[in-house]
């Protein structure tokens, strides 16, 4: 017998439709029976589940990226605000500022900071570089802009991904419901056949016993 074709993920996604992050769009299966064809329903369900899990992994990864951006943005905005304040102090020839800086957890010290033209910024991985105030402002404004753009792009892709998960879940639900319906129909059909066969055998046995009793009665007469 000819081997049944396996279900590939390419059959469940649209080739020419994807987001900027190359997230494939899910194909909506309108006619389940035609899509299954001669293949096993369990194979199709397995392929659908695999694609659904891939979408969930993408969603989890994007959620982590969004959380990281949302955590960085307040720090960038805060640093930019401080740099702008320092620039105003420098341009206005302001006197020394009384500030408090943290030495350790819940330990602060007071200091006088004269207006200057330099600031140190943490770049990550225990790396700190010194910039002029204007350079720091330009860098922080660029970082804020890029973070907002990345966040907006992430939200668009996450919305697109949610649509694909919704479409995939809907078709999975319809497919699963249709398969369950087919299995239920097959079960009922098989049950009816068994009852019919059992009833036929019972009637045959009853008729045979009745014929035997009638024959025995005739012989006795």
């Amino acid at each position: 017998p000819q081997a049944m074709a396996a279900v590939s993920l390419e059959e469940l996604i649209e080739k020419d439709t994807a987001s900027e992050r190359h997230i494939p769009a899910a194909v909506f299966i309108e006619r389940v029976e035609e899509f299954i064809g001669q293949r096993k329903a369990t194979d199709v369900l397995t392929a659908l589940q695999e694609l659904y899990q891939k979408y969930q992994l993408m969603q989890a990864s994007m959620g982590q990226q969004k959380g990281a951006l949302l955590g960085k943005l307040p720090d960038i905005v805060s640093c930019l605000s401080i740099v702008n304040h320092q620039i105003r102090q420098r341009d206005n020839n302001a006197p020394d500022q009384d500030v408090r800086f943290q030495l350790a957890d819940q330990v602060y010290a007071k200091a006088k900071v004269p207006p200057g033209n330099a600031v140190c910024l943490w770049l990550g991985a225990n790396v700190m570089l010194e910039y002029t105030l204007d350079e720091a402002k330009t860098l922080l404004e660029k970082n804020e802009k890029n973070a907002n753009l990345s966040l907006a792009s992430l939200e668009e892709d996450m919305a697109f991904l949610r649509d694909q998960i919704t479409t995939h879940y809907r078709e999975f639900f319809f497919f699963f419901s249709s398969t369950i319906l087919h299995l239920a129909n097959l079960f009922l059909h098989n049950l009816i056949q068994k009852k019919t066969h059992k009833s036929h055998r019972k009637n045959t046995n009853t008729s045979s016993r009745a014929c035997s009793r009638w024959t025995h009665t005739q012989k006795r007469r």
Side-chain angles (χ1 to χ4, degrees):
Q2 186 177 2
M4 293 181 292
V7 183
S8 62
L9 291 179
E10 285 73 14
E11 298 180 69
L12 304 176
I13 59 177
E14 297 180 7
K15 298 180 180 179
D16 300 329
T17 305
S19 68
E20 294 182 358
R21 291 177 180 265
H22 305 289
I23 303 173
V27 174
F28 181 74
I29 303 173
E30 296 183 359
R31 299 182 179 180
V32 177
E33 294 180 355
E34 292 183 5
F35 184 82
I36 296 176
Q38 300 298 321
R39 296 175 293 196
K40 294 181 180 179
T42 53
D43 293 340
V44 181
L45 284 172
T46 300
L48 286 171
Q49 184 66 22
E50 182 180 352
L51 180 59
Y52 182 69
Q53 290 175 352
K54 289 181 180 294
Y55 280 143
Q56 285 185 317
L57 287 176
M58 293 180 193
Q59 189 178 44
S61 176
M62 290 183 183
Q64 292 177 354
Q65 296 177 36
K66 182 179 179 180
L69 284 173
L70 290 175
K72 290 179 180 179
L73 264 175
D75 292 336
I76 296 175
V77 172
S78 177
C79 289
L80 183 57
S81 175
I82 294 174
V83 169
N84 286 330
H85 176 72
Q86 289 295 104
I87 291 175
R88 288 192 299 270
Q89 293 291 99
R90 179 199 63 185
D91 294 342
N92 296 328
N93 294 321
D96 295 349
Q97 301 177 73
D98 292 327
V99 298
R100 289 184 179 182
F101 61 94
Q102 187 176 9
L103 294 177
D105 290 340
Q106 299 182 357
V107 178
Y108 293 85
K110 292 182 179 181
K112 286 184 177 293
V113 179
N117 193 40
V119 66
C120 293
L121 298 179
W122 282 107
L123 300 182
N126 294 326
V127 176
M128 176 181 284
L129 288 181
E130 182 177 337
Y131 295 89
T132 65
L133 292 177
D134 295 328
E135 289 174 343
K137 179 180 179 181
T138 301
L139 177 63
L140 290 171
E141 287 176 344
K142 180 181 177 181
N143 290 347
E144 182 184 14
K145 180 180 178 181
N146 290 338
N148 284 322
L149 289 175
S150 298
L151 186 59
S153 177
L154 263 177
E155 289 177 346
E156 290 180 2
D157 287 332
M158 291 182 72
F160 177 82
L161 186 57
R162 281 194 298 270
D163 290 340
Q164 306 319 304
I165 291 177
T166 301
T167 300
H168 185 74
Y169 180 80
R170 184 167 62 243
E171 72 184 21
F172 181 83
F173 175 77
F174 286 152
F175 182 86
F176 186 76
S177 300
S178 177
T179 303
I180 292 297
L181 182 61
H182 292 326
L183 291 176
N185 289 335
L186 288 174
F187 175 78
L188 290 175
H189 179 71
N190 186 41
L191 185 62
I192 291 173
Q193 281 188 331
K194 286 183 179 180
K195 287 185 176 181
T196 302
H197 182 67
K198 184 177 180 180
S199 177
H200 177 72
R201 289 183 57 186
K202 182 178 180 180
N203 292 336
T204 302
N205 293 336
T206 302
S207 299
S208 298
R209 287 196 298 269
C211 290
S212 297
R213 286 197 298 270
W214 184 83
T215 303
H216 182 71
T217 302
Q218 292 297 324
K219 286 182 179 180
R220 291 180 60 184
R221 289 181 180 179

